Amino acid sequence: MSAIPPDRVTAERLAGLGPQKRRLDPVTGDGTLIEDPAAEIPLVLGNHTFASVTSTICGWVEKPQPGVWLPLFLTAGGVATMCAVMIVYLIITGVGVWGLNTPVGWGFDITNFVFWVGIGHAGTLISAILCIFKQKWRTSINRAAEAMTIFAVICAGTFPGIHVGRVWFAWFLFPIPNSYWIWPNFRSPLLWDVFAVGTYFTVSLLFWYMGMIPDLATLRDRAVMNINRTASFVGLIRIPIGKIAAYFYGFLSLGWRFSMRGWWNYEKAYILLAGMSTPLVLSVHSIVSFDFAVAVIPGWHTTIFPPYFVAGAIFSGFAMVLTLMIPMRELYPGMKDFLTLKHIENMCKIITVTGSMVGFAYAMEFFIAWYGGNPYELKVFLNRAFGPYWWAYWIMVSCNVISPQVFWFKWARTTPWFIFIITIFVNIGMWFERFVIIVTSLHRDFLPSSWGMYSPTWVEILTFVGSFGIFLSLFCLFLRFLPMMAISEIKNVMPAAHPHADLIALARGEKPSRHADGHHGNRAGEGH
Amino acid sequence: MSAATDATKPAGPARVWGVMGEFAGPTELLHGCLAVREAGWRKWDAYSPFPVHGLELAMGLKPSRVSMIVLLGAMCGAGGGFALQYWTSAVAYPMVVQGKPFGAWEPFTPVTFELGVLLASFGAILGMLTLNVLPRWHHPLFKKERFLKVSDDRFMVALEARDRNWSLEGATRLLKQAGATNIDVVEE
């Protein structure tokens, strides 16, 4: 047997791409911003082998977290606890602790719901739509984006649940037979919403979990190989973390064995899930928009809502993905090899496209309000822009229409710190969009005698702030315990993964050394 | 010390599950699988850290039946969803909403679609697990330390003892001919 262990031989053989420059080039950035369409842009930078991909990504889970993780988690957990306290206070006191009143029956609660559901759209868009379009760059962002989706939908689901007033009757939303034999009204968009958001959450969770099974199995195998690893707790108790990790990842990975027959069913199931999630993701925000569009309130009753809401959802979702991933990329060592400037640039382009769609929808709404000849509609729109909530409208317009247009400049869409600032503006703008749609349409409609104003109470504000705590603390736990990038998918987009390239090269006689040198050369003397 | 002597050693009291051998990379695995398939084996499998594209051709895998399970799930979900809505709205609790007919199908479309997608998705993941006979937390292959490296960067083929072509020597020879190294006997 050769003295060199096979993994090193394999590693060296697979790494035969030559060392790469790591300094940033003014034109190509980290090497991925090449504009030449003939050049194949690397999806993974650095001198990575399959083994180093595994150890880098698993290392983020296995090694101690970056220093800011614990303070961030404790802060987010504290804020989440505050949210729980606010919800308990609401339930034991009643919805009177909120600022809702008779013309404005929906305020922060539904604004937050639509805001969070919208954010939840990027994950499934990345995993499903980009998957069926064979956009290979999705592999390094899909896992974290899907996690973000699930946590955002959890935050979203909280608000309609608590805004019903008598929370203990929330089960009326579901078609469960009760003692009066009353069934829910299936002709109501509010009930469609229950099914849409419920299905979306469940399918996103299944999609996320199924994509994670092979990577959980990788973590399981690494834990089994380090089964005797222990950690001391305050120097007193030895905690067998090797065993705990082996059981935890072992249970979750369901005994996945990386067999090709398994992969074959797995890939079919994955692409089918992607195919089904694509209409699903488009349907969810369409149905959310029906909550408004089916009502007769001027400013809500428009057919533009479904596409406009979906574009806005993708816009805000990608902004939140970047808000989370730009700091992650700085904090976790080696992540820049997988999450390159090209990934960020691509996401910025999607933000500009969807932001322009949103801007077009704002303009079209105004145009139709005038062109449609409905005086109430026109009045509502003039009231949005110049009425008492003018400031909310103009925050929305400047954040959503103007700010994403900076990404037409290459510097702007390839400079992470600047993108981070813009994505914060987009998040703010998209929250205000929902606020404007809901509150300005409700507070002044047909009868001036029933006009009113709405302002949130401290309970509403703290519940909203608290929902960010829920979101961030769940995301911190995800970073700590689960593989945050799709290890097997990243390996699959590396040049070394494709036997076809090798076969073609072999047939042309281009790189015969790559085949003959490594293992087989060493084995030649062993008589086969 | 050669891998071949390892493999031909008597297996001891435990029953033999099969033989596994290692390949240097995706290309070698592809060639190896072609060789095993041409030898007429049925109960065998390739193991790789990611689905190697083209391997299904080399192994002669038939189209996955997950699609049928997904279709079944979609039909159950959509059909059941529509039936639930029709029955509750038109039969069990008819209620006039905006003067529309009780059994009008149009308002039932969104929920029918959503429930169809929901059950189809369960069909996809549960169908995938059922066809792969998972969850199965213990397996003879997991006893091999080297096998645990498949999840990292190793490529392996395992021939199982339940195949009608099985003989320990024959299987070992076939793996060697296919280009495998580190051939090892796996016990139950």
Side-chain angles (χ1 to χ4, degrees):
Chain A
M1 200 173 159
S2 142
I4 308 169
D7 61 330
R8 219 186 109 200
V9 174
T10 318
E12 283 167 1
R13 199 183 62 81
L14 294 171
L17 304 164
Q20 288 180 351
K21 285 181 204 161
R22 300 310 305 278
R23 64 186 170 76
L24 289 185
D25 183 277
V27 179
T28 64
D30 55 4
T32 55
L33 300 178
I34 309 158
E35 295 288 351
D36 178 7
E40 193 169 344
I41 296 156
L43 291 165
V44 177
L45 292 175
N47 209 3
H48 272 293
T49 61
F50 295 147
S52 68
V53 169
T54 317
S55 58
T56 309
I57 297 175
C58 295
W60 297 329
V61 176
E62 290 161 354
K63 289 180 192 149
Q65 294 294 302
V68 295
W69 186 87
L70 191 64
L72 186 67
F73 177 66
L74 291 177
T75 314
V79 175
T81 312
M82 178 184 78
C83 187
V85 171
M86 288 303 123
I87 291 171
V88 171
Y89 178 61
L90 168 85
I91 291 171
I92 60 178
T93 317
V95 276
V97 300
W98 284 356
L100 301 175
N101 51 50
T102 291
V104 188
W106 282 356
F108 262 44
D109 46 357
I110 301 301
T111 303
N112 298 340
F113 162 68
V114 183
F115 171 73
W116 280 118
V117 170
I119 283 175
H121 274 56
T124 310
L125 182 96
I126 290 170
S127 34
I129 299 183
L130 297 186
C131 176
I132 57 177
F133 282 114
K134 302 270 184 239
Q135 293 294 306
K136 288 181 175 174
W137 58 276
R138 69 182 264 288
T139 51
S140 39
I141 50 171
N142 68 342
R143 178 69 42 76
E146 286 166 37
M148 183 205 80
T149 287
I150 288 159
F151 306 146
V153 178
I154 289 173
C155 292
T158 310
F159 287 99
I162 57 177
H163 100 297
V164 296
R166 289 180 290 171
V167 181
W168 48 97
F169 286 129
W171 61 274
F172 272 27
L173 292 166
F174 300 101
I176 300 168
N178 56 45
S179 51
Y180 299 107
W181 209 240
I182 293 171
W183 291 90
N185 173 19
F186 278 105
R187 297 181 196 90
S188 163
L190 296 178
L191 191 64
W192 304 345
D193 216 13
V194 173
F195 282 84
V197 175
T199 301
Y200 186 58
F201 177 73
T202 316
V203 173
S204 301
L205 192 67
L206 289 178
F207 202 16
W208 184 58
Y209 176 60
M210 199 180 100
M212 215 155 37
I213 289 174
D215 298 345
L216 290 169
T218 302
L219 282 167
R220 168 202 67 195
D221 290 349
R222 288 169 66 90
V224 169
M225 285 187 276
N226 278 314
I227 194 103
N228 292 322
R229 201 158 62 107
T230 55
S232 68
F233 181 69
V234 211
L236 292 171
I237 316 160
R238 306 292 297 174
I239 303 168
I241 52 170
K243 272 186 190 146
I244 294 172
Y247 274 105
F248 177 69
Y249 296 118
F251 179 78
L252 288 178
S253 58
L254 305 176
W256 183 255
R257 289 194 299 281
F258 296 89
S259 92
M260 186 56 205
R261 291 172 204 274
W263 279 122
W264 184 232
N265 291 324
Y266 175 91
E267 285 214 297
K268 176 64 86 178
Y270 198 84
I271 195 81
L272 285 171
L273 271 178
M276 290 182 296
S277 302
T278 300
L280 177 67
V281 71
L282 301 180
S283 82
V284 174
H285 228 57
S286 299
I287 291 177
V288 170
S289 79
F290 292 162
D291 291 347
F292 307 103
V294 174
V296 292
I297 303 285
W300 283 7
H301 190 63
T302 56
T303 47
I304 201 175
F305 263 23
Y308 155 37
F309 267 52
V310 171
I314 295 165
F315 178 56
S316 67
F318 270 89
M320 188 57 98
V321 167
L322 281 170
T323 308
L324 293 173
M325 286 199 173
I326 288 172
M328 264 164 72
R329 193 172 171 269
E330 300 296 328
L331 288 174
Y332 287 90
M335 193 178 274
K336 284 180 184 169
D337 287 344
F338 305 110
L339 193 57
T340 65
L341 286 179
K342 185 71 187 173
H343 290 94
I344 292 181
E345 191 192 16
N346 283 347
M347 287 192 267
C348 288
K349 287 177 179 170
I350 293 178
I351 287 181
T352 306
V353 170
T354 49
S356 304
M357 287 182 194
V358 168
F360 175 76
Y362 294 163
M364 200 41 64
E365 275 187 326
F366 246 100
F367 172 74
I368 293 295
W370 164 74
Y371 187 69
N374 181 333
Y376 297 101
E377 187 84 5
L378 183 61
K379 179 68 193 160
V380 160
F381 277 88
L382 290 175
N383 181 50
R384 268 187 194 173
F386 307 110
Y389 289 107
W390 63 272
W391 47 274
Y393 184 82
W394 293 106
I395 290 174
M396 168 188 100
V397 168
S398 42
C399 289
N400 289 351
V401 183
I402 299 165
S403 75
Q405 301 303 327
V406 297
F407 293 144
W408 289 101
F409 299 98
K410 190 168 176 98
W411 177 85
R413 63 177 190 264
T414 55
T415 309
W417 66 266
F418 183 75
I419 299 167
F420 182 79
I421 295 170
I422 296 295
T423 61
I424 298 284
F425 280 124
V426 172
N427 289 326
I428 294 171
M430 285 309 291
W431 188 86
F432 272 100
E433 180 198 295
R434 281 63 180 255
F435 181 82
V436 166
I437 289 172
I438 291 169
V439 174
T440 64
S441 304
L442 284 175
H443 91 121
R444 289 182 179 176
D445 59 5
F446 301 104
L447 293 174
S449 60
S450 56
W451 286 4
M453 288 295 287
Y454 163 78
S455 58
T457 62
W458 61 275
V459 182
E460 277 166 301
I461 294 169
L462 290 185
T463 313
F464 172 54
V465 173
S467 65
F468 280 93
I470 297 175
F471 180 70
L472 278 179
S473 49
L474 288 171
F475 200 78
C476 283
L477 288 174
F478 160 73
L479 295 179
R480 173 66 191 83
F481 292 108
L482 294 172
M484 67 178 98
M485 282 187 186
I487 305 171
S488 64
E489 288 186 35
I490 288 180
K491 287 176 188 166
N492 212 348
V493 299
M494 290 167 72
H498 293 284
H500 295 310
D502 278 9
L503 288 171
I504 293 164
L506 271 172
R508 286 182 185 156
E510 278 169 358
K511 279 189 201 166
S513 62
R514 214 176 142 190
H515 191 70
D517 254 14
H519 253 65
H520 292 273
N522 291 336
R523 301 280 157 203
E526 290 174 19
H528 73 113
Chain B
M1 170 74 197
S2 150
T5 36
D6 260 359
T8 46
K9 216 168 48 179
R15 280 180 57 214
V16 173
W17 175 83
V19 170
M20 70 178 198
E22 202 172 314
F23 290 83
T27 314
E28 290 80 356
L29 184 71
L30 194 99
H31 291 300
C33 286
L34 267 172
V36 175
R37 183 191 169 198
E38 278 160 10
W41 280 68
R42 281 155 190 252
K43 306 291 178 195
W44 66 287
D45 213 334
Y47 299 85
S48 59
F50 50 84
V52 178
H53 289 163
L55 202 58
E56 70 277 5
L57 299 171
M59 291 176 70
L61 298 184
K62 295 195 183 82
S64 169
R65 281 175 296 165
V66 170
S67 333
M68 298 315 294
I69 300 172
V70 169
L71 181 66
L72 192 72
M75 292 195 318
C76 288
F82 189 87
L84 170 79
Q85 294 178 82
Y86 185 86
W87 181 73
T88 53
S89 309
V91 181
Y93 188 60
M95 183 168 55
V96 179
V97 177
Q98 297 171 342
K100 303 290 191 303
F102 294 128
W105 60 271
E106 294 90 341
F108 300 157
T109 316
V111 174
T112 305
F113 169 76
E114 299 295 336
L115 286 175
V117 170
L118 182 69
L119 264 73
S121 303
F122 274 105
I125 186 164
L126 296 179
M128 183 276 287
L129 292 175
T130 312
L131 292 175
N132 292 343
V133 202
L134 291 175
R136 179 178 176 184
W137 283 282
H138 294 278
H139 193 275
L141 282 168
F142 289 148
K143 292 177 197 160
K144 294 287 171 189
E145 177 105 18
R146 190 186 292 130
F147 182 78
L148 300 183
K149 286 285 214 175
V150 167
S151 60
D152 188 1
D153 63 345
R154 303 301 168 84
F155 300 84
M156 295 197 186
V157 165
L159 306 180
E160 296 172 28
R162 61 198 170 103
D163 192 277
R164 62 197 158 107
N165 290 340
W166 171 259
S167 76
L168 187 56
E169 296 74 27
T172 313
R173 199 175 332 110
L174 176 60
L175 280 180
K176 275 187 80 168
Q177 280 166 358
T181 56
N182 288 328
I183 296 165
D184 209 350
V185 178
V186 184
E187 287 158 0
E188 295 233 353

